[in-house]
Amino acid sequence: MSIKERLSYVIEDKILAELLGEQNFSTKESAILELVKNAYDANASRVEVVLNKTNRGNCLVISDNGEGMGESAIKTSWMHVGKTSRGYESKVSNRVYAGAKGIGRFALARLGEEIELYSKKDGESGVLWKTNWEKAVIEKEQNMVKKGTTIYINKLRDKWSKRSMNPLVSYLSKVYNDTAMKIVISFDGEEQVVPKLWMNPKIGENYVSSLKLNYDAEQQILNYKIELDEFNETVRDQMGIEYENEVRAEINVNDNLKQQIKELLFEMEVDKNLEIDSIDNEVTKALQTLGNFTAEFYFSLSVMTQKDYEWYQYKHKSLSNRYDPGIILYRNAFSIDSFEGRKDWLRLSKRAASSTAAASHPTGKWRIRANQLAGYVVIDKENNNMIKDLSNRQGIVENLHFMVFNLVILSGLSEFEMYRQNIIRQINAYQKSLEEGIHSEQKDRKEADLIVENLEKNHENVHKLSREDVGIVISEFKRKESENEYIKREKDEIEKSAKYEVQLLNVLATSHLKIISLGHEIHNDRNNIGAVPRDLEAAVRALDIWEDLCDDSLPMHKNIPELLVSLGVNTEKILTLTDSILAETEKQNFENKEHDIETIMISIVDSWRQQYKWVAIEIEILGDKKIMISYDQLFVIFNNLILNSVQQNDKMQSLVINIKLIRVDSIIRIEYQDNGKGLDKKYHANPKKILEVHESNRDKGHGLGMWIVNNTIIKLRGEIETITGHNGFTLSGFIKVEGDSYGKHN
């Protein structure tokens, strides 16, 4: 019988030092941080990093007044790679331990070639541990009296000087988020205490608006608090725009994010055959096991022109000590490696690039830019243990929980974006109406024109001008200057708006062109396609087996007569759809001309009635039915409204839609209603959120339908006034179709 012998790997000290030290820490500052963490875990109240100049060159000295180590700890723990004796938190100080993997000591190898470590634990003799990374030795050090650890690092691998001090202080102020331990940096006799970056943030000095988040995992509720100090009081007092400087509310993230999390689950190859209740349980499980966390974000504009400063009535043109942009992710007292603000881990830049609308855009969704936001998120080593570090210490494993974590944070950020954008939109609308009023006034224009005309005829007439004449000319000059500025702003706004809308609609237009191309092919072969079901039936009947096939006991997939009937019905649907698509894209549909609104509405709803027998659509039109409008505008509004009702209620046996249009002068009031299930729960608190771009609660929904409705109505100088969705879905609003309306002049 053979005897089994247990074997252990033997690794050269130098190889360990290279792999876990030199190659494991990307910067000298990150290596210093690891040694600061060791001091924190040793319950030190003070740690010092000192650069000394010696005969042998520069020497880094790192000392702390922590618990220290004795000979036994050096031999059994310090020299045992990958072993950590620490659990979750210290029983002495209640600090949550920063170390976990037992390899942080190799940060010393990243910093220098020769190490001398002096350490003493209460009740034990002091020890000296030395290494040159080829071999390590230990000896007693009887001269040590006070507990703690002091490390001398010689033959430094990096260049250290007084100029290294500020970057190190700045780095440590970002990555250390606690006050339990003081960190002191001393270079060339100059001493700095590392400040806590987020200590006493001041609104109007470090930022202009803030967002605080508190996530309750058990209830799946995200509580948020918005604080604003961005606008002058004139916005409320003179413009009459109502908003609060402080807002507190909550989001049911299960309702709000359910669809997005389901898509994540399917992308990660969760069983797609799960029952609805089961997949809902998976969503709840992911949100609950994510764990509680908190976050604070600080917003301010990176640049601001004088014109914008005046137009939007901003309170602060610049900040005396603006926070540097970047979001830091802390696990308890220390940031996670590479998540100390340099990395855009929330993907704010990508998010903003996908929705480029300015905050003033009437329908586009404004997104915060990465350079406008600073702040931090705090997770816990135990409570958020599903958010895991990469094995190479350079970030986070992007698993399901990390993705859900991001979604929860961004849902809170979206609330801030919508709140601020609503204020900006109102300010912009007010200023535009004010400017339009000023430039429509005719006062002094004719007098100024006559004065200028007389001067052009004879320049000597300048001597005959009265003080009043000069005032009139100056006033008109200023008015024209203001008008030019207004026109330029309008032009810029239109260009930005057009760029944003084209970006969104080009994708749909490209897809639609493909559909039209295929539609033409189907239309050209219409007769042959339509005849296929009939020809198949005739061919089968000719075989004299038709009666045998008409057996009601056969399952549907084997019942050839029933399959042929179904094929005929579906073929007719495809041909009807093709005809409808081609008819809708005819050139004349985009021309602005006089229409009978009743004729347009009947043509729109008839195509739905033909294709969706389970949908009943009733139309009521009151008032003058002749209007100047482009057919496509009404088509876009009502087709998308009907499509939304059909898609949201596709499980119903029957659906009733009522459309009422009331014409009063140049206004057409719209009242739309269906008897379906209404809005998803996530929209009950804020129904108008469905008008935001890319907002959808359906699988793979693009979220553009209701945005297109709203965008078209606004282009027609109208507005969606109310939306409700508790008992069915209702929407009311208006458009303008005469006078100076968009419909008549564009």
Side-chain angles (χ1 to χ4, degrees), residues 38 45 119 152 170 175 190 209 239 257 259 359-360 438 451 566 636 685 689 697 707 710 714 740:
N38 283 350
S45 62
S119 193
Y152 293 88
S170 176
V175 298
E190 182 180 332
S209 301
M239 298 182 183
L257 299 175
Q259 195 54 49
S360 57
I438 291 171
I451 292 168
S566 177
V636 163
K689 190 176 181 181
N697 67 307
W707 174 80
N710 188 40
I714 287 175
D740 61 348

Short mmCIF file of all heavy atoms in Angstrom, two decimals, residues 38 45 119 152 170 175 190 209 239 257 259 359-360 438 451 566 636 685 689 697 707 710 714 740:
data_model
loop_
_atom_site.label_atom_id
_atom_site.label_comp_id
_atom_site.label_asym_id
_atom_site.label_seq_id
_atom_site.Cartn_x
_atom_site.Cartn_y
_atom_site.Cartn_z
N ASN A 38 -2.77 48.89 6.29
CA ASN A 38 -2.25 48.01 7.34
C ASN A 38 -2.26 48.71 8.70
O ASN A 38 -2.59 48.11 9.73
CB ASN A 38 -0.82 47.58 6.99
CG ASN A 38 -0.79 46.50 5.92
OD1 ASN A 38 -1.82 45.93 5.55
ND2 ASN A 38 0.40 46.21 5.41
N SER A 45 -4.04 55.24 15.53
CA SER A 45 -4.72 56.54 15.49
C SER A 45 -3.93 57.55 14.67
O SER A 45 -4.43 58.62 14.34
CB SER A 45 -4.92 57.08 16.91
OG SER A 45 -3.67 57.29 17.54
N SER A 119 8.81 46.38 14.90
CA SER A 119 7.43 46.30 15.41
C SER A 119 7.42 45.77 16.84
O SER A 119 8.26 44.94 17.23
CB SER A 119 6.59 45.39 14.51
OG SER A 119 5.23 45.53 14.80
N TYR A 152 11.39 51.07 7.40
CA TYR A 152 12.37 51.84 6.63
C TYR A 152 12.50 51.18 5.26
O TYR A 152 12.81 49.98 5.16
CB TYR A 152 13.73 51.86 7.34
CG TYR A 152 13.71 52.62 8.65
CD1 TYR A 152 13.37 51.97 9.84
CD2 TYR A 152 14.03 53.97 8.69
CE1 TYR A 152 13.35 52.66 11.04
CE2 TYR A 152 14.02 54.66 9.89
CZ TYR A 152 13.67 54.01 11.07
OH TYR A 152 13.64 54.70 12.25
N SER A 170 -3.02 64.53 -2.16
CA SER A 170 -4.26 64.58 -2.93
C SER A 170 -4.85 63.19 -3.13
O SER A 170 -6.06 62.97 -2.97
CB SER A 170 -4.00 65.25 -4.28
OG SER A 170 -5.15 65.23 -5.08
N VAL A 175 -8.79 58.59 -1.48
CA VAL A 175 -8.99 57.16 -1.25
C VAL A 175 -9.31 56.80 0.20
O VAL A 175 -9.80 55.71 0.47
CB VAL A 175 -7.77 56.34 -1.74
CG1 VAL A 175 -7.57 56.52 -3.23
CG2 VAL A 175 -6.51 56.74 -0.99
N GLU A 190 8.82 69.63 5.61
CA GLU A 190 7.48 70.20 5.46
C GLU A 190 6.45 69.11 5.76
O GLU A 190 6.55 67.99 5.25
CB GLU A 190 7.28 70.72 4.03
CG GLU A 190 5.91 71.37 3.83
CD GLU A 190 5.73 71.90 2.41
OE1 GLU A 190 6.74 72.25 1.77
OE2 GLU A 190 4.57 71.94 1.95
N SER A 209 -25.54 71.99 -6.58
CA SER A 209 -26.67 71.12 -6.30
C SER A 209 -26.14 69.77 -5.84
O SER A 209 -25.05 69.36 -6.25
CB SER A 209 -27.55 70.91 -7.54
OG SER A 209 -28.05 72.14 -8.01
N MET A 239 -40.13 85.36 -12.59
CA MET A 239 -40.61 84.45 -13.64
C MET A 239 -41.80 83.61 -13.19
O MET A 239 -42.50 83.03 -14.01
CB MET A 239 -39.47 83.52 -14.08
CG MET A 239 -38.28 84.24 -14.68
SD MET A 239 -37.02 83.05 -15.21
CE MET A 239 -35.72 84.18 -15.77
N LEU A 257 -37.16 49.35 -12.13
CA LEU A 257 -36.06 48.72 -12.87
C LEU A 257 -36.34 47.27 -13.27
O LEU A 257 -35.46 46.61 -13.83
CB LEU A 257 -34.78 48.76 -12.04
CG LEU A 257 -34.25 50.15 -11.66
CD1 LEU A 257 -33.04 50.01 -10.75
CD2 LEU A 257 -33.87 50.93 -12.91
N GLN A 259 -37.94 45.71 -15.62
CA GLN A 259 -37.73 45.30 -17.00
C GLN A 259 -36.25 45.26 -17.36
O GLN A 259 -35.77 44.34 -18.02
CB GLN A 259 -38.48 46.25 -17.94
CG GLN A 259 -38.62 45.73 -19.36
CD GLN A 259 -39.26 44.36 -19.40
OE1 GLN A 259 -40.29 44.10 -18.79
NE2 GLN A 259 -38.61 43.44 -20.11
N ALA A 359 -30.20 70.70 -21.59
CA ALA A 359 -31.22 70.71 -20.53
C ALA A 359 -32.44 71.53 -20.94
O ALA A 359 -33.54 71.30 -20.46
CB ALA A 359 -30.62 71.27 -19.24
N SER A 360 -32.25 72.49 -21.86
CA SER A 360 -33.37 73.35 -22.30
C SER A 360 -34.23 72.70 -23.37
O SER A 360 -35.28 73.22 -23.72
CB SER A 360 -32.81 74.67 -22.84
OG SER A 360 -31.90 74.42 -23.91
N ILE A 438 -40.70 91.46 -26.74
CA ILE A 438 -39.90 92.68 -26.96
C ILE A 438 -39.73 92.95 -28.45
O ILE A 438 -39.89 94.07 -28.93
CB ILE A 438 -38.53 92.55 -26.28
CG1 ILE A 438 -38.69 92.56 -24.76
CG2 ILE A 438 -37.58 93.66 -26.72
CD1 ILE A 438 -37.43 92.21 -24.01
N ILE A 451 -35.26 108.76 -39.22
CA ILE A 451 -34.05 109.52 -38.83
C ILE A 451 -32.85 109.01 -39.61
O ILE A 451 -32.06 109.79 -40.16
CB ILE A 451 -33.82 109.40 -37.31
CG1 ILE A 451 -34.93 110.14 -36.55
CG2 ILE A 451 -32.45 109.97 -36.93
CD1 ILE A 451 -34.95 109.84 -35.06
N SER A 566 -55.34 29.44 -42.08
CA SER A 566 -54.50 30.35 -41.30
C SER A 566 -53.47 31.04 -42.19
O SER A 566 -53.21 32.24 -42.04
CB SER A 566 -53.79 29.56 -40.20
OG SER A 566 -52.93 30.38 -39.47
N VAL A 636 -48.48 60.59 -37.21
CA VAL A 636 -47.47 60.27 -36.20
C VAL A 636 -48.08 60.29 -34.80
O VAL A 636 -47.85 59.39 -33.99
CB VAL A 636 -46.28 61.25 -36.29
CG1 VAL A 636 -45.44 61.20 -35.03
CG2 VAL A 636 -45.42 60.93 -37.50
N ALA A 685 -46.48 57.67 -10.04
CA ALA A 685 -46.12 58.91 -9.34
C ALA A 685 -45.81 60.04 -10.31
O ALA A 685 -46.03 61.22 -10.00
CB ALA A 685 -44.91 58.67 -8.43
N LYS A 689 -43.47 60.91 -17.22
CA LYS A 689 -42.16 60.31 -17.46
C LYS A 689 -42.18 59.46 -18.72
O LYS A 689 -41.14 59.25 -19.36
CB LYS A 689 -41.76 59.47 -16.25
CG LYS A 689 -40.32 58.98 -16.28
CD LYS A 689 -39.97 58.24 -15.00
CE LYS A 689 -38.52 57.76 -15.04
NZ LYS A 689 -38.16 57.01 -13.82
N ASN A 697 -41.32 50.22 -20.59
CA ASN A 697 -41.41 49.13 -19.63
C ASN A 697 -41.61 47.78 -20.33
O ASN A 697 -41.88 46.77 -19.71
CB ASN A 697 -42.57 49.36 -18.65
CG ASN A 697 -43.93 49.29 -19.34
OD1 ASN A 697 -44.15 49.97 -20.34
ND2 ASN A 697 -44.84 48.49 -18.83
N TRP A 707 -42.37 59.60 -26.92
CA TRP A 707 -41.50 60.77 -27.12
C TRP A 707 -41.80 61.42 -28.46
O TRP A 707 -41.87 62.66 -28.56
CB TRP A 707 -40.03 60.35 -27.07
CG TRP A 707 -39.10 61.47 -27.42
CD1 TRP A 707 -38.70 62.48 -26.61
CD2 TRP A 707 -38.50 61.73 -28.70
NE1 TRP A 707 -37.88 63.35 -27.29
CE2 TRP A 707 -37.74 62.91 -28.57
CE3 TRP A 707 -38.52 61.07 -29.93
CZ2 TRP A 707 -37.01 63.44 -29.64
CZ3 TRP A 707 -37.80 61.59 -30.99
CH2 TRP A 707 -37.05 62.77 -30.84
N ASN A 710 -45.05 63.41 -28.18
CA ASN A 710 -44.83 64.67 -27.46
C ASN A 710 -44.03 65.66 -28.31
O ASN A 710 -44.36 66.86 -28.37
CB ASN A 710 -44.09 64.38 -26.16
CG ASN A 710 -43.98 65.60 -25.26
OD1 ASN A 710 -44.93 66.38 -25.14
ND2 ASN A 710 -42.84 65.79 -24.64
N ILE A 714 -45.39 69.34 -29.58
CA ILE A 714 -44.66 70.58 -29.28
C ILE A 714 -44.31 71.33 -30.55
O ILE A 714 -44.38 72.56 -30.61
CB ILE A 714 -43.40 70.26 -28.45
CG1 ILE A 714 -43.81 69.88 -27.02
CG2 ILE A 714 -42.43 71.43 -28.42
CD1 ILE A 714 -42.68 69.42 -26.15
N ASP A 740 -49.95 81.64 -36.65
CA ASP A 740 -48.50 81.51 -36.73
C ASP A 740 -48.04 80.14 -36.26
O ASP A 740 -46.95 79.97 -35.77
CB ASP A 740 -47.83 82.58 -35.88
CG ASP A 740 -48.20 82.47 -34.41
OD1 ASP A 740 -49.13 81.73 -34.09
OD2 ASP A 740 -47.53 83.13 -33.61
#
